[in-house]
Amino acid sequence: MRERSSWERAVRRIVTETLRLVPPVTALGAIEQLAPCYARLALRTGGVLLPRSLRDFPDKVAPYFAADRGLARRARLVEARLVFLLTRLVLNQVVRGSPGAERRRLLPIAVDGADHLDAALAERRGLVLVSAHFGLPVLIRLVVEGRGARVVGVGESFTQGVDMAIGRDVWTRARALQRLRAEVEGGNVCVLLADVRGDRYIETPFLQGHIPVVPGAFVLARATRSPLLPVFAVRAPGVWHFRVAFGPPLSLDDRARPTPFADIALSFARCFEAIARDHPDHLFAYDPVFGPSPGAPRASAGDGPPSRSARA
């Protein structure tokens, strides 16, 4: 706990002071240049200058990839993870401290699949976006709100980015589903993160392992007859710094399947793993910035990203 607190306090202080002096885009460029150098230097000294969770990160994601655990690959993954964590810290500072229009100006975001998003919004039947605890989901809201749509973030409890808490008991969830249905039928956009272990979930192949997928987003899209799009937000080194990728609509036509929504869950997982292959450092995106979660077990081949609230 002392390790986590000292690192987090120091890094947050540095980031806060840096953002008072330079624009976010400058800070992000500096992170891309300096963080890998620091990680390499720290690893050469045995890793004592890095938090344990960062040193152990390659072991956490290894079950999802081929058994390449060479020293060079581990070092590159630690470097990329440090850049991701620092980038996330800068992003969160900007989101908390700036109004929506200012955030979009300060944070350069490239949008892939914008035609899928615009076509879905043009239908004026509301929209359900499904993503994962991966990368930088907070960027999804910025892109969609930039199109003039109202976004509703969904989670188990009220935290940053959660506009509607679905709770844990059956009756609270039922009421929340009715409210969500009204939001979507009113033309708004709901964002849900599906890779959690809820009361009911589908264990779905993902890379070399499995992830849980809860069907809430699929149920909501079918009930409202709204488009359902997968979307993921990542760090993109270079001029733009961030990328939000929208996929084509997921088909909801699997009523004859013995396991409802199994095909949709698999299609979602395929979209997820396509981007995760290029950004393994973005997995487990809701882990603490530094230090392990209290009591968190080591991931195994059957574990998915941490079972946190379905938020955006």
Side-chain angles (χ1 to χ4, degrees):
M1 187 65 181
R2 182 177 304 168
E3 178 191 43
R4 173 184 172 185
S5 298
S6 61
W7 266 89
E8 191 160 354
R9 282 200 305 269
V11 173
R12 286 184 183 279
R13 185 164 56 249
I14 292 170
V15 168
T16 301
E17 293 302 320
T18 300
L19 291 176
R20 289 174 180 169
L21 300 173
V22 301
V25 67
T26 303
L28 293 168
I31 287 171
E32 290 178 9
Q33 294 295 320
L34 300 178
C37 297
Y38 175 84
R40 284 194 292 271
L41 176 62
L43 289 173
R44 286 172 187 164
T45 62
V48 294
L49 299 177
L50 294 172
R52 188 180 65 185
S53 62
L54 189 55
R55 300 194 303 267
D56 293 346
F57 184 74
D59 294 327
K60 190 168 187 177
V61 300
Y64 296 96
F65 296 90
D68 177 10
R69 304 188 184 185
L71 292 178
R73 183 180 183 277
R74 288 179 62 87
R76 288 195 299 271
L77 190 51
V78 169
E79 293 169 21
R81 182 64 170 183
L82 180 59
V83 173
F84 168 74
L85 292 177
L86 295 175
T87 298
R88 190 184 73 183
L89 193 55
V90 169
L91 175 61
N92 288 341
Q93 293 277 64
V94 173
V95 168
R96 280 195 295 264
S98 307
E102 181 70 4
R103 296 172 198 163
R104 289 188 289 274
R105 185 185 68 80
L106 293 172
L107 300 170
I109 304 171
V111 181
D112 294 346
D115 53 333
H116 299 308
L117 173 63
D118 293 337
L121 292 174
E123 293 185 29
R124 299 186 181 278
R125 292 189 289 130
L127 174 60
V128 179
L129 297 176
V130 58
S131 193
H133 293 81
F134 167 86
L136 304 161
V138 69
L139 295 172
I140 298 169
R141 178 187 290 268
L142 298 186
V143 170
V144 177
E145 287 181 341
R147 263 45 179 196
R150 180 176 181 272
V151 177
V152 180
V154 184
E156 285 188 350
S157 58
F158 288 108
T159 55
Q160 182 183 4
V162 174
D163 306 295
M164 186 177 298
I166 60 175
R168 296 179 179 274
D169 65 272
V170 174
W171 296 111
T172 302
R173 287 178 179 271
R175 289 192 296 270
L177 182 59
Q178 290 302 315
R179 291 175 58 200
L180 283 175
R181 181 168 181 170
E183 290 281 358
V184 175
E185 290 176 341
N188 298 319
V189 179
C190 283
V191 185
L192 299 97
L193 308 188
D195 57 331
V196 295
R197 284 184 169 85
D199 295 333
R200 293 182 301 166
Y201 64 89
I202 303 163
E203 197 76 14
T204 307
F206 176 74
L207 298 171
Q208 303 299 313
H210 292 80
I211 57 169
V213 177
V214 292
F218 315 145
V219 173
L220 181 61
R222 175 173 287 176
T224 57
R225 299 179 182 273
S226 301
L228 173 67
L229 301 184
V231 57
F232 301 95
V234 297
R235 182 185 70 85
V239 176
W240 286 102
H241 291 293
F242 301 110
R243 179 166 68 96
V244 176
F246 295 87
L250 296 174
S251 172
L252 291 164
D253 186 20
D254 71 344
R255 294 178 184 272
R257 297 284 295 176
T259 302
F261 302 112
D263 284 352
I264 311 168
L266 185 59
S267 296
F268 166 73
R270 291 292 176 265
C271 296
F272 183 7
E273 68 182 10
I275 199 165
R277 283 193 185 96
D278 294 330
H279 300 275
D281 52 298
H282 286 39
L283 288 167
F284 305 101
Y286 281 86
D287 277 1
V289 174
F290 294 106
S293 301
R298 185 177 297 274
S300 66
D303 289 338
S307 300
R308 308 288 287 277
S309 60
R311 59 187 177 183

